[in-house]
Amino acid sequence: MSSHGHRPHEARIRAPFALAHGTARGVIITAVNASARKAGIQPGQSVADARAVCPVLRTVPAELDRDAAALAELAVWFARYGPQRGTDGDEGLWVNVTGVGHLFSGEQDLMADAIARLQRAGFGARAAIADTPGAAHALARYATNPDRPTALAAPCETVGALAPLPIEALRLEADCVLLLKRLGLHRIGQLLALPRAALARRFRDAPRGSAKARKSARDDLARAVVWRLDQALGHVREPKAPIVPPPRFIARQTFTEPLISSDGIMQASAALAGDLCSALSEASDGAFGLRLSLFRADGTTAHVEIGASRPTADPEHMVGLLREPLEAVDAGLGIDLMTLDALRTAPMIAGQCALSAGDGGPAGDATARLVDRLSNRLGAEAVARFDARNTHLPERAEGHRPAVTAAKPAGAQSQSPQALLDVPLPDQALRPAFLLPAPEPITVIAELPEGPPARFQWRRLSCRIHRAIGPERITPEWWRALEAYRDSEAARAAEEADADTASAGKDPGGAAETEPVCATTGLPGRVVTKSAVPRVRDYYVLEADHGGRYWAFRDGLYQREAEDGAPQWYMQGVFG
Amino acid sequence: MTKAASALNPPPAALGRSPRVPETLDDLRAKIARIERKPRTFDAPADGDAPWRMGVAEMDCRLGPLGLAADGVHHYQAAPPEEGPPLTMSVASTQAFMLAVAAGRLAQFAPPVPPARGHAPEPDILWCVRASFAREFGRLSRAGLRAFGLDPDRVLIVEARRDDDVLWALEEALRSRAMRLVAGCISDVALTPARRLALACAEGATPLLMMTDPRASPVAAAATRWRISPLPSAPHPLCADMPGAPRFSVRLERCRAAPLAAADQSPVALEWCHDTFSFRMAHEFSDRTFAPDPAPGRRSEPPGRVIAWPSAA
């Protein structure tokens, strides 16, 4: 059986509508709806041509890869009509329904069932059943129409069914079809009437070019036509590769008496985890995403989803992860069905077990379990590892990444070519143990034009500095300076445009208010100036007279006050 | 007999004069204590079984022969703000001190095997704080950890929303045995959670360093309790305008293993050396010239032995 489908949403849009895809030849229409087709628009046309025909045509960019994924999913669902099934081109499906028809009280009813189900799901579809895949392909596309969406070629009547169809139905290349039509061959029946030797001879004078190229192209054409014809008639085999859906690991258990107590639910989930894990370990797989679905007696469902940092096939660990979220689940009238579904699986790499059960130092497995337990209760973001960023600005260089996603190690970046830029800090560079989330403005009494502060006030406490190390100069990231320059240019252009439009009668006072946050450095307290580029920072380690050490910096230089605005002091971190 | 007793359990003052901790007897005691606490069948001594010491004689003799308990709760508190530095600073100082102590503990283990290419190293330390605490007092910084000899890739950071979550996370981490050391900051710990944490430490054979608010009540089941505040540093040896190594004023308020030795509540000034990753006495205190010794013959004798000599008469 072969069937031929349209997109679900296409049928619902009444106005002319098409999907377009940019190619080397321009933007080409890939699919159209019924009213667009009525207006004379065909897939393969360019959008400009189509608009000329139908000015009200609405187009949306086609997402070909998502279409293909959806088609593959639909092919998996077609298992109800036969285990061997697959996708046929980018708009068709095929199923081997040999010996299946009687289960649906006849092959005609089988097709009707499939089309009805597809229509309910929002797909327009046509279907055909024939002896060979080639014939079914041809019939599904050229022997059906929206009013009569099915075609059936009775066994051994393929020749009769194919004869009236146009030669396009043979899955030939477009230029080949054109050539055949030029030769006066419009129907498959005409081709069938020709003797095979004569068919090949017909192409003798066809393509232009050098004698040798002409000959080889001619031979290819002849071979393609004969081959496709033989495929459709079943004279040559046409092997099809059925899709193999990924294995799904799911454990389910029904209960005659609905479960109400949380102990019962815990025990049942432990049993499910045991079943799932034995299936997983048979396939040498592990799950790192699990969903426990609890179907209540009143028809409602509760889902519990958990994640693990590395694939696991250990029921104890799964139960441990499920315990916390299960406590929050309301059993309601009782639970009569539970399923445990492995949402994401990956092959498990067999690990070395500890020789003795004693303390062999921190084991990687124990760490992964701890990370899983913490992340599932506190949230994945709350449990983090340090992440190295490729910059030297302190607040940007520091980052956290969830420990659950630790599959990508911090060291992996050092293997990327970009990491060649990642120059380690010099040994002398002093960095505080604790960094404030964002630099906080401080007021200082400092020497001009440069020098450490003698006093500063931070968080309403005044400190006298008695010793200082510095300055350590950190220049802005030049590439960001470039971006900021472009942004500011764009902003200025936009402002000018705004001013032009608003000059008619808008209050000029409203436009003058700007957020007192520097857009480029992210530092509060400085109004965006015209040349809002990041400034040079001079960092100082300041030791107050009580012994506490601070890490503060001056953003900007007094020497460049005229160009960049007045320097501003910030507190960034504290040493121990 | 008096002499023998004083040699076995020498007062800190006596050790101050000869800053060498008796070894033979202490090691034997440590061994016996370990055998009594967790009987082992035939295991060879593993990493980290040696007594965990601060590395400074003045501190170690107050901690007693067993050093810091490797399976106990160590409670740190910043000095209250009225005693000197502002709260932000003494909290930072206390946390830094905890990092330094943690670095000392990790140094007892064999250096970790570098992970296979494409794998993240396994974390050794769990550092757990409330998110609001981290926002106010600063987040642990990757670059700053290196000053303590800690590898940032081996630190797991947990930022929980509430104190209860911090307690839960600390307990989980301790019981999991996955970490070599667990550290956390929390506002206050009630009696029952404190006891739970102590039990979790013993069960997981993992030490916990815990900081509470300066005015919080003492944690009941703690093995040691400390009060930390920053001290002005000495001038840098090469440049008098620059600060030298950071200093801490450290007061051991309680030590369960050696209650008598810890009875001396006077603060000790310790310096953290960023080059050797170890503590040392602040040198104004350690380089003092000693008072003239009343009995010169005694100093040369190693402590820990019973020696009889004729009476002065």
Side-chain angles (χ1 to χ4, degrees):
Chain A
M1 181 175 87
S2 185
S3 76
H4 176 66
H6 310 292
R7 291 154 185 278
H9 55 264
E10 197 188 330
R12 290 177 205 148
I13 298 173
R14 303 223 179 272
F17 173 79
L19 295 176
H21 180 61
T23 64
R25 293 190 295 133
V27 185
I28 301 294
I29 285 176
T30 58
V32 295
N33 72 347
S35 63
R37 184 165 299 157
K38 209 175 283 174
I41 295 161
Q42 292 294 329
Q45 245 176 344
S46 78
V47 169
D49 292 351
R51 284 259 162 75
V53 176
C54 174
V56 295
L57 178 74
R58 200 157 71 82
T59 59
V60 164
E63 294 168 85
L64 300 181
D65 45 346
R66 283 184 61 195
D67 285 351
L71 192 68
E73 252 177 60
L74 201 61
V76 173
W77 175 79
F78 257 71
R80 64 185 296 120
Y81 300 110
Q84 291 180 331
R85 74 277 190 208
T87 58
D88 184 14
D90 52 6
E91 52 172 7
L93 302 170
W94 64 267
V95 195
N96 185 353
V97 291
T98 310
V100 177
H102 70 277
L103 299 175
F104 293 85
S105 61
E107 289 181 334
Q108 193 66 51
D109 289 356
L110 186 152
M111 284 191 286
D113 179 77
I115 284 173
R117 280 175 190 276
L118 283 174
Q119 259 169 1
R120 233 174 297 153
F123 293 95
R126 291 178 281 161
I129 295 180
D131 286 354
T132 63
H137 176 98
L139 287 170
R141 284 162 181 78
Y142 293 96
T144 57
N145 56 48
D147 300 328
R148 207 172 66 78
T150 60
L152 179 66
C156 306
E157 284 181 19
T158 311
V159 177
L162 285 180
L165 299 186
I167 47 166
E168 286 96 329
L170 278 181
R171 297 180 283 177
L172 291 167
E173 301 285 324
D175 49 350
C176 189
V177 169
L178 196 67
L179 183 67
L180 286 170
K181 284 194 168 169
R182 264 196 216 142
L183 295 172
L185 298 167
H186 290 276
R187 308 251 152 224
I188 294 175
Q190 291 172 298
L191 268 180
L192 290 172
L194 290 173
R196 290 173 66 93
L199 195 60
R201 215 180 315 124
R202 285 256 175 173
F203 293 100
R204 187 147 298 166
D205 323 319
R208 296 166 194 8
S210 72
K212 196 176 172 191
R214 205 157 55 214
K215 181 159 190 325
S216 77
R218 205 161 57 212
D219 288 350
D220 285 351
L221 272 179
R223 210 172 293 134
V225 172
V226 172
W227 184 56
R228 284 298 192 190
L229 202 57
D230 284 348
Q231 275 188 342
L233 297 175
H235 296 323
V236 295
R237 291 168 59 90
E238 185 182 356
K240 288 261 189 195
I243 57 160
V244 183
R248 188 158 175 225
F249 296 98
I250 185 161
R252 53 176 281 149
Q253 194 176 2
T254 51
F255 308 102
T256 44
E257 192 72 21
L259 292 181
I260 292 188
S261 73
S262 63
D263 285 350
I265 294 173
M266 262 335 285
Q267 276 176 15
S269 50
L272 285 175
D275 290 353
L276 188 71
C277 288
S278 59
L280 281 170
S281 29
E282 247 172 58
S284 322
D285 270 359
F288 56 98
L290 288 168
R291 182 170 57 204
L292 181 72
S293 305
L294 303 117
F295 297 86
R296 299 195 191 95
D298 57 359
T300 56
T301 317
H303 297 287
V304 170
E305 278 196 30
I306 54 169
S309 57
R310 60 176 73 173
T312 175
D314 177 11
E316 266 178 46
H317 182 43
M318 285 186 188
V319 172
L321 293 180
L322 285 168
R323 185 169 288 124
E324 301 267 345
L326 266 183
E327 277 166 11
V329 168
D330 175 20
L333 294 173
I335 284 152
D336 50 13
L337 169 66
M338 277 168 71
T339 61
L340 183 61
D341 193 351
L343 298 177
R344 296 186 299 279
T345 58
M348 280 261 279
I349 299 149
Q352 171 79 51
C353 298
L355 203 57
S356 68
D359 48 353
D365 209 27
T367 311
R369 285 162 187 232
L370 176 67
V371 166
D372 291 350
R373 281 187 62 66
L374 296 178
S375 310
N376 276 297
R377 170 154 166 179
L378 305 173
E381 295 296 321
V383 186
R385 308 279 297 268
F386 283 110
D387 199 8
R389 306 265 166 85
N390 213 350
T391 174
H392 49 264
L393 276 190
E395 69 266 27
R396 289 211 182 102
E398 297 280 336
H400 288 180
R401 91 193 118 87
V404 180
T405 57
K408 194 202 82 174
Q413 291 179 335
S414 63
Q415 283 143 24
S416 70
Q418 210 192 7
L420 294 175
L421 301 169
D422 192 7
V423 182
L425 280 173
D427 285 345
Q428 299 84 2
L430 285 167
R431 289 286 178 273
F434 302 96
L435 276 182
L436 299 174
E440 294 177 15
I442 50 175
T443 50
V444 301
I445 301 171
E447 270 179 60
L448 283 179
E450 50 195 17
R455 290 188 82 91
F456 70 82
Q457 194 175 10
W458 176 48
R459 292 184 177 174
R460 283 179 291 171
L461 278 175
S462 181
C463 274
R464 211 158 54 82
I465 303 304
H466 82 148
R467 292 201 178 98
I469 305 176
E472 177 191 348
R473 179 159 294 183
I474 297 186
T475 54
E477 300 162 319
W478 56 265
W479 57 97
R480 283 194 198 269
L482 215 62
E483 281 167 22
Y485 176 74
R486 281 197 208 113
D487 288 352
S488 67
E489 286 295 299
R492 203 176 58 188
E495 255 172 41
E496 278 167 8
D498 274 356
D500 289 347
T501 53
S503 57
K506 202 180 155 194
D507 176 25
E513 278 179 31
T514 34
E515 182 71 19
V517 170
C518 174
T520 49
T521 57
L523 299 174
R526 193 155 68 87
V527 175
V528 180
T529 56
K530 194 164 66 181
S531 59
V533 289
R535 300 192 286 185
V536 168
R537 297 177 178 184
D538 280 345
Y539 278 86
Y540 290 91
V541 178
L542 307 173
E543 187 177 287
D545 50 4
H546 51 65
R549 292 183 181 204
Y550 300 87
W551 204 43
F553 70 91
R554 187 188 60 235
D555 183 44
L557 297 171
Y558 281 102
Q559 292 92 326
R560 291 184 54 82
E561 198 172 346
E563 296 95 330
D564 293 351
Q568 172 62 248
W569 284 84
Y570 292 94
M571 181 62 65
Q572 182 136 37
V574 282
F575 290 83
Chain B
M1 190 59 215
T2 335
K3 294 255 163 62
S6 74
L8 281 174
N9 198 357
L15 280 171
R17 252 181 282 152
S18 63
R20 202 179 139 226
V21 184
E23 275 172 11
T24 334
L25 204 51
D26 288 354
D27 289 349
L28 283 173
R29 277 178 180 163
K31 239 177 230 173
I32 292 167
R34 264 204 312 283
I35 289 166
E36 279 174 351
R37 203 174 303 167
K38 39 177 183 179
R40 288 211 167 142
T41 46
F42 65 96
D43 282 1
D47 267 359
D49 273 1
W52 175 15
R53 299 193 192 281
M54 300 278 292
V56 177
E58 274 77 0
M59 218 62 247
D60 282 332
C61 70
R62 292 188 196 195
L63 285 170
L66 298 177
L68 289 162
D71 54 355
V73 180
H74 302 283
H75 179 200
Y76 296 84
Q77 276 177 300
E82 60 269 11
E83 283 183 21
L87 186 62
T88 335
M89 246 322 130
S90 41
V91 164
S93 197
T94 312
Q95 290 193 86
F97 188 78
M98 286 160 71
L99 284 176
V101 171
R105 173 64 182 160
L106 286 200
Q108 289 190 296
F109 293 91
V113 184
R117 200 182 151 124
H119 285 77
E122 297 293 344
D124 284 338
I125 299 185
L126 182 119
W127 185 269
C128 181
V129 294
R130 249 180 308 124
S132 54
F133 179 90
R135 274 198 297 277
E136 183 172 359
F137 294 104
R139 274 184 158 180
L140 204 57
S141 125
R142 188 169 171 277
L145 279 175
R146 298 200 186 276
F148 294 93
L150 293 168
D151 181 359
D153 289 338
R154 296 189 171 267
V155 178
L156 189 68
I157 318 138
V158 179
E159 284 184 8
R161 263 195 297 280
R162 294 174 300 134
D163 266 357
D164 289 353
D165 290 334
V166 176
L167 283 173
W168 175 82
L170 293 177
E171 201 182 320
E172 282 292 320
L174 288 170
R175 285 192 203 277
S176 75
R177 286 174 168 257
M179 297 289 150
R180 287 187 166 154
L181 185 132
V182 177
C185 301
I186 201 168
S187 45
D188 200 356
V189 187
L191 210 61
T192 318
R195 181 81 189 127
R196 283 183 68 102
L197 285 175
L199 289 174
C201 277
E203 192 188 304
T206 311
L208 168 66
L209 310 182
M210 191 169 56
M211 190 181 85
T212 63
D213 284 354
R215 283 193 204 80
S217 52
V219 171
T224 57
R225 193 167 71 237
W226 306 76
R227 185 74 71 166
I228 315 289
S229 63
L231 277 183
S233 66
H236 196 276
L238 301 179
C239 172
D241 290 343
M242 280 168 37
R247 283 186 181 178
F248 303 92
S249 155
V250 180
R251 200 163 73 209
L252 179 62
E253 292 185 339
R254 177 173 188 242
C255 177
R256 206 171 45 180
L260 284 177
D264 183 7
Q265 293 263 323
S266 60
V268 175
L270 293 184
E271 253 183 20
W272 173 254
C273 176
H274 283 324
D275 301 319
T276 60
F277 304 129
S278 61
F279 283 113
R280 59 181 179 227
M281 281 293 284
H283 61 79
E284 279 94 331
F285 302 89
S286 61
D287 285 356
R288 281 181 300 193
T289 47
F290 295 113
D293 201 323
R298 271 173 64 186
R299 276 191 68 205
S300 59
E301 296 302 329
R305 264 189 221 165
V306 183
I307 299 162
W309 51 78
S311 70

